[in-house]
Structures are given as structure tokens and as C-alpha cells.
Amino acid sequence: MKVTAATGLTLTIDLAALAENWTRLEALAAPAECAAVVKADAYGIGIDEAVPALWSAGCRTFFVALPEEGRQVRAAAPDATIYVLNGYFPDWTEAFRTHHLRPVLNTFTALESWAQHAPGEPSAIQVDTGMNRLGLTLHEALELARRPEFLARVAPTLLMSHLACADERGHALNQSQLMLFEEIKAQFPDLPASLANSAGIQLGADYHFDMVRPGIALYGAAFAEDRPPLAPVVTAKARILQLRDVAAGDSIGYGAALHLREETSVAIVAAGYADGYHRRAGSRDDHDGAAAWIRGEPAPVLGRVSMDLIALDVSGRVGVTEGDWVELFGPNVPIDEVAEAAGTIGYEFMTGLSRRAERVYVNRPQAA
Ligand SMILES: *Cc1c(COP(=O)(O)O)cnc(C)c1O
């Protein structure tokens, strides 16, 4: 049997907070449908647990990147509508059929092969409106609109596009993507449409169309600056293994990358980059790192992050003892701040949390 002694990084995942965030986003987007993006194992928190919680909250449509993720969602939500963002190749037909997955068709070749291998089976069509990532060009979309018989075999149930800069409210690309999407949508008047990710929801009702597709906001992380209150879903904690007083002028950790300016109380904590706590969140003589949280105050990371250990400054903190729990991110330390200190974004931090980190689920919804 697995030893679950909570001796390393422990992630407490609040499924009621996840459901609550979905409900808040749904209210923001109504009357548009609110789907849920659960790719990358639900941004690291676990598809098996996230999907039933979202389903209980009322979510009926899920987006994943890969067919295998679609299979996992199907197992967790037998009646859900599931779209696979990474498209379709003919050799995936069996997987799509077996698990009743709908491909998001991004190329004309994929449209043609879907029409050939799964004629009349539901799909989504993605158009590129300026991000230059996945999707049909305007020209291809117009051609498709002129071929109703072909379109009937492709059997789209959704027309979608994706915003490149939704997290910057004033970015010119938002408006130009919106205008192009409206132009393309006019060619497919009967097809429900979807444009907005989490940040796109906040750009206003013009961007909502028939369905919104939040990912990161569901998990309580990055959202535009003036974000509505979202509940933190993930709290990462680890225990203090050892406390030590380190003299002024001494260094800490690998490479002696940080020298202490004064005598410092140091807590050595049981988490490291092997858990997904980025190594670049550490500090050097010329560079501050992230901070953790202990007994109501921030505790800066001292020196390099090791594979299994992090050193924290707990100077002046009364009552800190070996065995205490430290919050590495969660309600008191936004994951986006830790990610920023490591030179990245909350998305990468969340999806990079490793399998070694222990996941403890709380507030599971009661089965209906
Ligand atoms: C990942 C993704 C989303 C969700 O984006 P968030 O910024 O996490 O809300 C929505 N749509 C598409 C096409 C995506 O790839």
C-alpha cells in the first residue's frame, strides 16, 4: 500500500472552491453556456476529481487537448459533451468513436477526413482570427460556408476561435479578433459560437457569444487585473524538517548563491523542484525569489531551490517549530506571484506540479 505520510509537498485541492468558481463564471457569462477547460489533467489538479465536481455544479461541456484526456473525462462524466482541441487525424477515429469525443477541426484536411471517416458525427470548427495558432483561415472558412453538403457531413455543433491577448484589456488584437470572428460567424448563422477563455469573459458580453471556455480561472489562478473574487482551489504546503540559525556572511544552499546580511533563522522545508516548485523561484545575492507563508507572515526563499528542499527566512517568527506546515502557495500566497518570481506564469506552475506531490481532495460534492 502507498505510504501517504504527507512528508513532502502536499496539495490540498478544494473541490467546492472549484465548483464555486465555475458557478461565478457561469453567472458572469450568462446567458452564454459556461464550459470548462480541463486539459493537462485539469491544470494539474486531476481530471478524475475535477470533472465530477464541475458536473455537479452544472457544467455539461468540457474541453481537453488530447483524445486520451477525453477518455478520462468520459469516464468521469458519462453524459458530458467533450471537445478535443488538438484536432483530428484519421488514426484517432476509433478513440473518438469509442469515447464519443468531438474533435475541434483546425485544418481543411481534418475537415475532409472527418467528413470521410465519421460523416455526420458532431465536431467543432476552429477559425484563426489573428493568433496564428490553430484554425482555418478566413478564406477557408468562407469556402466551407459555400459548401453546405460538405458541411452537413462535417456536422459542426460549434464554431470557435481563441483570443491571443485577452489578459490585456486594451490590446488592439482583442477588438480585431472579435470583428473577424463576427464576420465569419455571419456565414454560419445556425452554428453556436465560442470565443472567450477565462480572461476573455472579462472583456464583456460582446465576447461571450453562445459559450465561454474558462480554464485557469476555474482553478483560482490568473485572471485579468480587475478580477472578480475567485476562490483559491489549490493550497500547497510542506513541513519544516529542520530549523537553524545561520551567521551573517554565511551562504545558503547549492552554489552558495545567497549570502546572509545578518544572522538569520532558517527553516528547511520538505519541497523542491522535483515536486514542481520551480528552481528559478530561489534567490541569489543580486535577485529576490518567491516567498512562502508561515504564522501570518511571508517567509522569503533563501538561495537555490533543491530537488527536495527549500530554505526559508523565518527570522523573528515566534513559535515556529520543526514539523510545522508552511504554505508555499494558496490563499495567502497567490500562485501567480510564485510563478512570476520564477519568471513564468501560474499556468506553467500549476501544470508542472509533479506526480510526487501528494494530492488531497477536500469538499467533494455529494453524489446527486
Ligand atoms: C487552454 C484554452 C482555453 C482556456 O484558457 P484559459 O486562459 O485557461 O481560460 C480556452 N480555449 C482554448 C482554445 C484553449 O486552448
Side-chain angles (χ1 to χ4, degrees), residues 37 39 43 63 85 126 133 160-162 195-199 213-217 219 222 347:
V37 180
K39 59 195 179 189
Y43 289 50
F63 287 83
L85 292 164
Q126 176 151 237
R133 203 173 62 170
M160 58 176 275
S161 189
H162 192 49
L195 179 61
N197 62 342
S198 297
R213 308 186 306 270
I216 196 78
Y219 310 102
Y347 294 75

Side-chain angles (χ1 to χ4, degrees), residues 15 40 55 79 117 173 198 230 245 259 269 299 329 341 345-346 360:
L15 296 169
W55 178 272
D79 299 321
H117 296 283
L173 203 47
S198 297
L230 292 166
D245 290 321
H259 294 82
V269 170
F329 57 85
I345 55 175
V360 178

Side-chain angles (χ1 to χ4, degrees), residues 55 60-63 73-74 77 79-83 100 102 157:
W55 178 272
R60 294 294 175 262
T61 303
F62 296 84
F63 287 83
V73 174
R74 177 59 70 217
D79 299 321
T81 298
I82 304 168
Y83 289 103
H100 302 283
R102 302 183 186 190
T157 50

Side-chain angles (χ1 to χ4, degrees), residues 220-221 227 232 291 293 327-340:
R227 63 187 200 175
W293 190 263
E327 179 185 320
L328 292 169
F329 57 85
N332 299 297
V333 183
I335 190 169
D336 300 305
E337 285 179 13
V338 179
E340 196 183 334

Side-chain angles (χ1 to χ4, degrees), residues 71-318:
R71 183 193 64 74
Q72 291 172 47
V73 174
R74 177 59 70 217
D79 299 321
T81 298
I82 304 168
Y83 289 103
V84 177
L85 292 164
N86 276 10
Y88 167 74
F89 290 114
D91 47 314
W92 297 356
T93 310
E94 189 57 33
F96 276 86
R97 201 169 276 143
T98 307
H99 306 294
H100 302 283
L101 309 176
R102 302 183 186 190
V104 175
L105 302 168
N106 297 308
T107 68
F108 222 89
T109 312
L111 291 171
E112 282 167 344
S113 36
W114 187 251
Q116 184 191 338
H117 296 283
E121 298 294 329
S123 66
I125 295 171
Q126 176 151 237
V127 292
D128 188 89
T129 50
M131 186 175 188
N132 286 312
R133 203 173 62 170
L134 291 175
L136 303 181
T137 62
L138 169 65
H139 178 79
E140 289 170 323
L142 297 180
E143 184 183 335
L144 181 62
R146 283 194 301 268
R147 296 171 55 186
E149 282 158 32
F150 176 54
L151 194 58
R153 280 186 291 130
V154 175
T157 50
L158 187 69
L159 177 73
M160 58 176 275
S161 189
H162 192 49
L163 295 165
C165 302
D167 55 342
E168 287 178 60
R169 179 180 286 280
H171 201 289
L173 203 47
N174 294 327
Q175 186 68 26
S176 78
Q177 287 197 267
L178 176 65
M179 283 166 61
L180 186 52
F181 190 59
E182 280 173 340
E183 185 183 333
I184 295 169
K185 181 184 149 48
Q187 303 296 317
F188 302 89
D190 302 329
L191 209 47
S194 175
L195 179 61
N197 62 342
S198 297
I201 295 172
Q202 272 192 296
L203 294 177
D206 286 353
Y207 288 80
H208 295 170
F209 294 92
D210 302 296
M211 183 193 287
V212 296
R213 308 186 306 270
I216 196 78
L218 294 170
Y219 310 102
F223 209 19
E225 313 85 55
D226 51 347
R227 63 187 200 175
L230 292 166
V233 172
V234 187
T235 304
K237 290 190 172 179
R239 297 178 83 174
I240 297 176
L241 300 177
Q242 185 171 8
L243 288 168
R244 62 192 318 124
D245 290 321
V246 181
D250 268 15
S251 63
I252 296 223
Y254 281 122
L258 182 81
H259 294 82
L260 298 172
R261 284 183 208 112
E262 50 201 78
E263 185 176 328
T264 303
S265 306
V266 178
I268 308 299
V269 170
Y273 63 76
D275 300 293
Y277 191 93
H278 288 214
R279 188 168 170 279
R280 293 189 56 185
S283 61
R284 305 186 302 258
D285 286 333
D286 59 353
H287 181 80
D288 286 343
W293 190 263
I294 182 158
R295 297 200 178 241
E297 281 180 76
V301 176
L302 297 174
R304 288 189 190 160
V305 172
S306 304
M307 186 184 293
D308 319 301
L309 300 167
I310 296 171
L312 298 175
D313 184 349
V314 295
S315 301
R317 233 51 63 78
V318 181

